[in-house]
Amino acid sequence: MMRVVLLGKPGSGKGTQARRIAEAADIAVISTGELIRDSIRQGTEIGKEFRRYTDAGLLVPDQLVLDLFQQRLEKPDCAHGFLLDGFPRTLAQAEALEKMLVARAQPLTLALSIRVPDEVIIERAIGRRFCPKDKHSYHVSYAPPKVPDICDLCGSKLQQRADDKREVVLARVQEYNDKTAPLVDFYAARHILHDVDGLGTPEQVGMRVDAALQSSAA
Ligand code: AMP
Protein backbone atom coordinates (compact mmCIF):
# COMPACT_ATOMS: atom_id res chain seq x y z
CA MET A 1 0.00 0.00 0.00
CA MET A 2 1.22 3.50 -0.81
CA ARG A 3 1.40 6.19 1.83
CA VAL A 4 3.45 8.90 0.24
CA VAL A 5 4.54 12.45 1.08
CA LEU A 6 5.39 14.78 -1.81
CA LEU A 7 7.91 17.50 -1.03
CA GLY A 8 8.74 20.34 -3.39
CA LYS A 9 8.68 24.09 -3.74
CA PRO A 10 5.59 25.88 -5.10
CA GLY A 11 5.55 25.20 -8.85
CA SER A 12 7.73 22.09 -8.60
CA GLY A 13 4.93 20.02 -10.14
CA LYS A 14 3.78 18.35 -6.90
CA GLY A 15 0.08 18.86 -7.61
CA THR A 16 0.34 17.64 -11.20
CA GLN A 17 2.24 14.52 -10.18
CA ALA A 18 -0.13 13.91 -7.25
CA ARG A 19 -3.12 13.82 -9.60
CA ARG A 20 -1.30 11.51 -12.03
CA ILE A 21 -0.34 9.01 -9.34
CA ALA A 22 -3.77 9.10 -7.73
CA GLU A 23 -5.52 8.38 -11.03
CA ALA A 24 -3.24 5.47 -11.85
CA ALA A 25 -3.23 3.96 -8.36
CA ASP A 26 -6.73 4.98 -7.21
CA ILE A 27 -5.59 6.40 -3.89
CA ALA A 28 -6.70 9.53 -2.06
CA VAL A 29 -4.79 12.77 -2.55
CA ILE A 30 -4.78 15.16 0.38
CA SER A 31 -3.73 18.66 -0.55
CA THR A 32 -3.79 20.95 2.49
CA GLY A 33 -3.52 23.91 0.08
CA GLU A 34 -6.79 22.82 -1.60
CA LEU A 35 -8.47 22.29 1.77
CA ILE A 36 -7.38 25.76 2.82
CA ARG A 37 -8.59 27.33 -0.46
CA ASP A 38 -11.94 25.51 -0.06
CA SER A 39 -12.48 27.01 3.36
CA ILE A 40 -11.44 30.46 2.08
CA ARG A 41 -14.06 30.14 -0.68
CA GLN A 42 -16.70 29.19 1.87
CA GLY A 43 -16.05 32.50 3.62
CA THR A 44 -15.96 31.00 7.13
CA GLU A 45 -14.15 32.69 10.05
CA ILE A 46 -11.33 30.18 9.80
CA GLY A 47 -11.24 30.84 6.04
CA LYS A 48 -10.67 34.55 6.73
CA GLU A 49 -7.88 33.68 9.15
CA PHE A 50 -6.24 31.41 6.53
CA ARG A 51 -6.39 34.14 3.94
CA ARG A 52 -4.16 36.44 5.99
CA TYR A 53 -1.37 33.91 5.61
CA THR A 54 -1.93 32.59 2.08
CA ASP A 55 -2.20 36.11 0.60
CA ALA A 56 1.21 36.90 2.07
CA GLY A 57 2.76 33.61 0.92
CA LEU A 58 3.29 32.54 4.54
CA LEU A 59 2.61 29.17 6.08
CA VAL A 60 -0.57 28.83 8.11
CA PRO A 61 0.11 28.03 11.82
CA ASP A 62 0.77 24.34 12.43
CA GLN A 63 -2.18 23.64 14.72
CA LEU A 64 -4.73 24.97 12.21
CA VAL A 65 -3.32 22.84 9.41
CA LEU A 66 -3.05 19.77 11.64
CA ASP A 67 -6.74 20.01 12.60
CA LEU A 68 -7.75 20.32 8.97
CA PHE A 69 -5.51 17.44 7.94
CA GLN A 70 -6.63 15.11 10.70
CA GLN A 71 -10.31 15.52 9.80
CA ARG A 72 -9.50 14.66 6.20
CA LEU A 73 -7.41 11.63 7.15
CA GLU A 74 -10.39 10.14 9.04
CA LYS A 75 -12.40 9.84 5.82
CA PRO A 76 -12.81 6.26 4.55
CA ASP A 77 -11.08 6.85 1.19
CA CYS A 78 -7.75 7.20 3.04
CA ALA A 79 -7.85 3.64 4.32
CA HIS A 80 -6.38 2.30 1.05
CA GLY A 81 -3.38 4.58 0.97
CA PHE A 82 -2.87 8.26 0.35
CA LEU A 83 -0.64 10.80 -1.16
CA LEU A 84 0.07 14.02 0.70
CA ASP A 85 0.56 17.09 -1.47
CA GLY A 86 1.89 20.09 0.45
CA PHE A 87 1.77 18.50 3.89
CA PRO A 88 3.77 18.31 6.10
CA ARG A 89 5.60 21.60 5.61
CA THR A 90 7.35 22.07 8.97
CA LEU A 91 9.22 19.76 11.32
CA ALA A 92 6.42 20.13 13.89
CA GLN A 93 3.90 18.95 11.27
CA ALA A 94 6.14 16.05 10.23
CA GLU A 95 6.47 14.93 13.85
CA ALA A 96 2.73 15.21 14.46
CA LEU A 97 2.02 13.26 11.26
CA GLU A 98 4.42 10.53 12.31
CA LYS A 99 2.59 10.16 15.65
CA MET A 100 -0.83 10.02 13.94
CA LEU A 101 0.32 7.34 11.52
CA VAL A 102 2.12 5.24 14.12
CA ALA A 103 -1.12 5.25 16.16
CA ARG A 104 -2.96 3.87 13.10
CA ALA A 105 -0.18 1.38 12.30
CA GLN A 106 0.08 3.04 8.88
CA PRO A 107 3.60 4.47 8.57
CA LEU A 108 4.66 6.39 5.47
CA THR A 109 6.12 4.26 2.71
CA LEU A 110 7.91 7.02 0.78
CA ALA A 111 8.83 10.71 0.83
CA LEU A 112 9.42 12.01 -2.69
CA SER A 113 11.31 15.25 -3.01
CA ILE A 114 10.83 16.88 -6.44
CA ARG A 115 13.81 19.14 -7.06
CA VAL A 116 13.68 22.24 -9.25
CA PRO A 117 16.02 25.27 -9.04
CA ASP A 118 14.51 28.54 -7.72
CA GLU A 119 14.81 30.42 -11.08
CA VAL A 120 12.67 27.81 -12.84
CA ILE A 121 10.16 27.69 -9.99
CA ILE A 122 9.37 31.36 -10.22
CA GLU A 123 8.70 31.28 -13.95
CA ARG A 124 6.56 28.17 -13.64
CA ALA A 125 4.48 29.45 -10.75
CA ILE A 126 3.66 32.86 -12.21
CA GLY A 127 2.53 31.36 -15.55
CA ARG A 128 0.31 28.80 -13.86
CA ARG A 129 -3.46 28.83 -14.46
CA PHE A 130 -6.13 26.43 -13.23
CA CYS A 131 -9.73 25.49 -13.88
CA PRO A 132 -11.86 26.45 -10.87
CA LYS A 133 -14.28 23.58 -11.66
CA ASP A 134 -12.16 20.48 -12.29
CA LYS A 135 -8.86 21.86 -10.85
CA HIS A 136 -6.98 20.88 -14.00
CA SER A 137 -3.81 22.97 -14.30
CA TYR A 138 -2.21 24.74 -17.26
CA HIS A 139 0.75 26.99 -17.94
CA VAL A 140 0.59 29.95 -20.31
CA SER A 141 3.81 28.87 -22.11
CA TYR A 142 4.50 25.22 -21.22
CA ALA A 143 1.04 23.69 -21.12
CA PRO A 144 -1.36 26.18 -22.70
CA PRO A 145 -5.05 25.31 -23.14
CA LYS A 146 -6.27 24.90 -26.77
CA VAL A 147 -8.26 28.15 -26.49
CA PRO A 148 -6.50 30.83 -24.40
CA ASP A 149 -7.90 31.06 -20.86
CA ILE A 150 -10.48 28.28 -21.37
CA CYS A 151 -10.35 24.82 -19.78
CA ASP A 152 -9.92 22.07 -22.43
CA LEU A 153 -11.98 19.66 -20.37
CA CYS A 154 -15.03 21.65 -19.32
CA GLY A 155 -14.93 25.07 -21.02
CA SER A 156 -14.71 27.08 -17.78
CA LYS A 157 -12.67 30.29 -17.71
CA LEU A 158 -9.23 29.65 -16.22
CA GLN A 159 -8.04 31.49 -13.14
CA GLN A 160 -4.73 32.40 -11.57
CA ARG A 161 -4.22 31.60 -7.91
CA ALA A 162 -4.10 34.76 -5.79
CA ASP A 163 -0.77 33.56 -4.37
CA ASP A 164 0.87 32.95 -7.78
CA LYS A 165 1.85 36.62 -8.18
CA ARG A 166 5.59 37.22 -8.28
CA GLU A 167 6.07 38.80 -4.81
CA VAL A 168 3.95 36.13 -3.17
CA VAL A 169 5.76 33.33 -5.02
CA LEU A 170 9.09 34.72 -3.79
CA ALA A 171 7.78 34.67 -0.20
CA ARG A 172 6.53 31.09 -0.65
CA VAL A 173 9.92 29.93 -1.95
CA GLN A 174 11.56 31.60 1.05
CA GLU A 175 9.14 29.83 3.43
CA TYR A 176 9.97 26.53 1.71
CA ASN A 177 13.70 27.05 2.03
CA ASP A 178 13.44 28.09 5.70
CA LYS A 179 10.80 25.73 7.05
CA THR A 180 10.15 22.84 4.67
CA ALA A 181 13.59 22.04 3.25
CA PRO A 182 14.68 20.51 6.64
CA LEU A 183 12.10 17.76 6.08
CA VAL A 184 14.40 16.28 3.44
CA ASP A 185 16.86 15.33 6.20
CA PHE A 186 14.03 14.25 8.48
CA TYR A 187 12.85 11.64 5.95
CA ALA A 188 16.37 10.72 4.84
CA ALA A 189 17.06 9.74 8.48
CA ARG A 190 14.02 7.43 8.28
CA HIS A 191 15.33 5.87 5.05
CA ILE A 192 12.22 6.68 3.02
CA LEU A 193 13.50 9.71 1.09
CA HIS A 194 13.76 9.59 -2.68
CA ASP A 195 14.95 12.59 -4.71
CA VAL A 196 13.47 13.16 -8.14
CA ASP A 197 14.74 15.63 -10.74
CA GLY A 198 11.78 17.93 -11.43
CA LEU A 199 13.08 19.50 -14.67
CA GLY A 200 11.39 18.60 -17.94
CA THR A 201 7.82 17.92 -19.01
CA PRO A 202 5.21 16.52 -16.60
CA GLU A 203 5.51 13.19 -18.49
CA GLN A 204 9.30 13.07 -18.10
CA VAL A 205 9.07 13.87 -14.40
CA GLY A 206 6.21 11.37 -14.13
CA MET A 207 8.45 8.58 -15.42
CA ARG A 208 11.03 9.34 -12.73
CA VAL A 209 8.31 9.49 -10.09
CA ASP A 210 6.92 6.11 -11.20
CA ALA A 211 10.39 4.56 -11.01
CA ALA A 212 10.77 5.87 -7.44
CA LEU A 213 7.35 4.51 -6.46
CA GLN A 214 8.20 1.12 -7.91
CA SER A 215 11.56 0.89 -6.19
CA SER A 216 9.93 1.76 -2.84
CA ALA A 217 7.26 -0.92 -3.35
CA ALA A 218 9.84 -3.57 -4.23
P1 AMP B 1 -0.22 24.99 -1.82
O1 AMP B 1 -1.45 24.90 -2.64
O2 AMP B 1 0.21 23.65 -1.29
O3 AMP B 1 0.90 25.72 -2.50
O4 AMP B 1 -0.60 25.85 -0.52
C1 AMP B 1 -1.04 27.20 -0.65
C2 AMP B 1 -0.88 27.94 0.67
O5 AMP B 1 -1.66 27.30 1.70
C3 AMP B 1 0.54 27.96 1.23
O6 AMP B 1 1.29 29.02 0.69
C4 AMP B 1 0.27 28.16 2.72
O7 AMP B 1 -0.09 29.50 3.01
C5 AMP B 1 -0.95 27.30 2.94
N1 AMP B 1 -0.61 25.90 3.27
C6 AMP B 1 -0.87 24.78 2.54
N2 AMP B 1 -0.42 23.66 3.16
C7 AMP B 1 0.16 24.09 4.30
C8 AMP B 1 0.82 23.42 5.37
N3 AMP B 1 1.01 22.10 5.37
N4 AMP B 1 1.29 24.18 6.40
C9 AMP B 1 1.12 25.52 6.43
N5 AMP B 1 0.52 26.21 5.46
C10 AMP B 1 0.03 25.52 4.39
Side-chain angles (χ1 to χ4, degrees), residues 12-208:
S12 61
K14 284 193 308 297
T16 303
Q17 295 302 330
R19 275 188 297 275
R20 263 192 68 254
I21 302 165
E23 266 168 35
D26 194 25
I27 59 172
V29 174
I30 307 184
S31 157
T32 44
E34 286 292 344
L35 295 174
I36 288 170
R37 281 188 289 281
D38 285 344
S39 70
I40 292 177
R41 267 193 294 273
Q42 286 156 14
T44 56
E45 278 311 307
I46 186 82
K48 286 181 196 145
E49 171 89 12
F50 284 149
R51 184 137 202 191
R52 297 197 352 237
Y53 297 95
T54 59
D55 276 359
L58 300 175
L59 294 183
V60 163
D62 289 330
Q63 198 52 53
L64 299 181
V65 178
L66 283 167
D67 290 345
L68 204 64
F69 174 78
Q70 188 145 25
Q71 282 173 23
R72 178 64 187 86
L73 186 66
E74 305 293 330
K75 300 223 169 120
D77 64 333
C78 296
H80 312 292
F82 48 76
L83 205 148
L84 309 184
D85 165 14
F87 178 87
R89 267 183 156 100
T90 63
L91 277 175
Q93 290 178 20
E95 279 159 4
L97 172 66
E98 191 168 58
K99 285 210 186 89
M100 274 180 226
L101 296 182
V102 165
R104 302 161 70 99
Q106 293 191 329
L108 291 175
T109 53
L110 181 69
L112 262 184
S113 168
I114 304 184
R115 303 213 168 242
V116 181
D118 284 358
E119 317 79 79
V120 179
I121 286 295
I122 293 163
E123 204 197 340
R124 279 194 188 175
I126 60 184
R128 181 153 75 166
R129 299 292 180 274
F130 73 99
C131 171
K133 204 163 143 213
D134 55 37
K135 312 270 160 80
H136 194 75
S137 64
Y138 298 88
H139 187 282
V140 291
S141 328
Y142 306 130
K146 294 196 185 84
V147 179
D149 278 336
I150 300 294
C151 178
D152 290 348
L153 306 180
C154 74
S156 302
K157 189 164 170 30
L158 301 183
Q159 294 182 359
Q160 182 179 33
R161 278 172 46 172
D163 59 354
D164 276 342
K165 295 188 194 83
R166 177 178 286 274
E167 325 74 76
V168 184
V169 171
L170 292 174
R172 290 165 64 208
V173 170
Q174 181 77 41
E175 284 282 79
Y176 183 91
N177 291 337
D178 291 349
K179 297 183 182 151
T180 311
L183 298 192
V184 168
D185 286 343
F186 178 90
Y187 289 120
R190 284 152 180 78
H191 309 292
I192 57 168
L193 181 78
H194 205 116
D195 272 319
V196 169
D197 173 5
L199 287 176
T201 64
E203 293 72 30
Q204 287 167 334
V205 178
M207 274 158 42
R208 296 175 204 136

